[in-house]
Amino acid sequence: MKKKNSVFLIITIPAFLLFVIFHSFPALQGIFYSFTDWKGYGDWNFVGLKNYLNVFKDERAGDAYLFTFKFAIVATILVNIISLLVAIGLNSKIKFHKTLRAIYFLPYILSILIVGFIFNFIFAHFLPQIGDVFGWEFLTRNILGNPDLAWIGIVIVAVWQAVSFNTILYLAGLVTISEDLYEAASIDGAGVWTKFWKITFPLIAPFFTINMVLSLKNFLMVFDQIVALTGGGPGKSTESISLLIYRGGFEGGEFAYQSANAVIYFIVIIVFSVIQLKFLNKREVEN
């Protein structure tokens, strides 16, 4: 038993030390600097809660929070609807379903930045040319250059890439449902919608919960897609919280202030995730 425990300790302790050095220590260091006026270089002084109070007065931070939540909520809903429909289609008895699963998963393994730059070209040049050829006015302009529509382009790219991962999770849930349930429902005269609402959806409830929580959390931290597509523009119309923290902290000499912003945002994400989990878990129990 002692030999077995020593093996586990040899494996666990180095991993624990690496986690503390590269994750916990930088996080604690950021929290510490959030109570100072450090710019990322030079001397610093303690300022207490001044940075935290200033975040709530910052209009630019407020706009970034509004944009991020608008983007995250819309993208989360779209990803889960589309991936659930795709998963149901791929779970049916169709030809080449294994090949189609692999094709659908391809977007997830591609680099977000590369995908973003490709879609940037599509929005800026390819679609406007198609609009000009066919006389479709709504396609003739680059939506990424429109402050009111640029966020839609980011949603399209983010959803396109995220659907594959969520589809895999839904497929994992769908294969656990016995075919006997569907056959029994068919004998009772249940239609497609009744089978989905009374059998499929309740039985994949845990997978729906995981997908919703992971999707919202990931989309709240959106960064790469925005850098590749709009850079936060036009103006500041697509500037997310993550992008604001990065720019202000590493380019704008606001390291301490943006550290306070990051701490606040970290708490906001945890609160929303816990509320989401409690609400969806309650729905699972009711089902």
Side-chain angles (χ1 to χ4, degrees):
M1 180 62 78
K2 285 185 177 178
K3 185 178 180 182
K4 190 176 180 181
N5 287 335
S6 63
V7 172
F8 282 123
L9 288 174
I10 291 172
I11 297 172
T12 306
I13 289 177
F16 174 75
L17 290 175
L18 289 172
F19 181 82
V20 170
I21 292 170
F22 294 106
H23 182 274
S24 302
F25 178 70
L28 293 174
Q29 197 176 26
I31 295 173
F32 172 79
Y33 280 119
S34 69
F35 295 101
T36 71
D37 60 355
W38 196 46
K39 298 178 181 178
Y41 53 86
D43 300 327
W44 51 267
N45 299 295
F46 277 107
V47 296
L49 295 174
K50 183 180 177 181
N51 289 327
Y52 289 89
L53 296 175
N54 286 338
V55 171
F56 291 98
K57 302 175 185 175
D58 190 344
E59 289 186 6
R60 183 177 174 183
D63 293 339
Y65 272 85
L66 284 175
F67 164 76
T68 305
F69 273 93
K70 178 177 70 174
F71 164 82
I73 291 170
V74 173
T76 299
I77 293 171
L78 288 177
V79 159
N80 280 277
I81 291 174
I82 296 171
S83 56
L84 181 55
L85 292 175
V86 173
I88 291 172
L90 292 175
N91 193 51
S92 59
K93 296 175 182 176
I94 58 174
K95 291 183 179 179
F96 311 115
H97 66 279
K98 290 184 179 178
T99 305
L100 289 172
R101 287 181 187 182
I103 292 173
Y104 272 109
F105 195 68
L106 278 177
Y108 190 73
I109 63 177
L110 296 175
S111 165
I112 296 176
L113 282 175
I114 293 174
V115 168
F117 288 128
I118 292 172
F119 271 90
N120 196 332
F121 174 82
I122 291 173
F123 287 128
H125 302 285
F126 184 66
L127 291 180
Q129 286 179 359
I130 291 179
D132 288 333
V133 170
F134 291 98
W136 296 336
E137 180 68 24
F138 66 96
L139 276 182
T140 56
R141 295 179 182 177
N142 178 10
I143 61 171
L144 299 179
N146 187 325
D148 298 323
L149 301 177
W151 72 279
I152 296 176
I154 300 170
V155 167
I156 291 172
V157 176
V159 169
W160 178 81
Q161 190 165 41
V163 158
S164 53
F165 179 73
N166 290 53
T167 299
I168 294 297
L169 292 182
Y170 279 127
L171 275 171
L174 289 172
V175 296
T176 64
I177 303 175
S178 172
E179 285 293 327
D180 294 342
L181 292 173
Y182 292 112
E183 290 175 6
S186 298
I187 294 172
D188 291 339
V192 175
W193 174 250
T194 304
K195 289 179 186 175
F196 171 78
W197 196 244
K198 298 294 183 181
I199 299 174
T200 306
F201 198 58
L203 291 180
I204 62 167
F207 297 89
F208 178 74
T209 300
I210 292 296
N211 271 339
M212 288 292 288
V213 174
L214 287 179
S215 298
L216 186 65
K217 190 267 294 181
N218 290 335
F219 288 132
L220 284 175
M221 296 192 295
V222 61
F223 179 84
D224 295 351
Q225 293 93 338
I226 296 176
V227 170
L229 288 169
T230 64
K236 305 294 180 187
S237 61
T238 60
E239 188 175 59
S240 68
I241 296 297
S242 300
L243 186 60
L244 174 64
I245 291 171
Y246 171 77
R247 280 181 171 168
F250 294 99
E251 298 175 0
E254 301 175 339
F255 189 91
Y257 175 68
Q258 294 302 339
S259 293
N261 195 6
V263 173
I264 292 172
Y265 199 46
F266 172 70
I267 295 170
V268 167
I269 290 176
I270 288 179
V271 169
F272 268 83
S273 297
V274 170
I275 293 172
Q276 207 179 4
L277 271 174
K278 284 197 171 183
F279 175 78
L280 293 173
N281 283 334
K282 184 181 177 183
R283 190 189 67 83
E284 287 180 29
V285 173
E286 289 174 351
N287 286 329

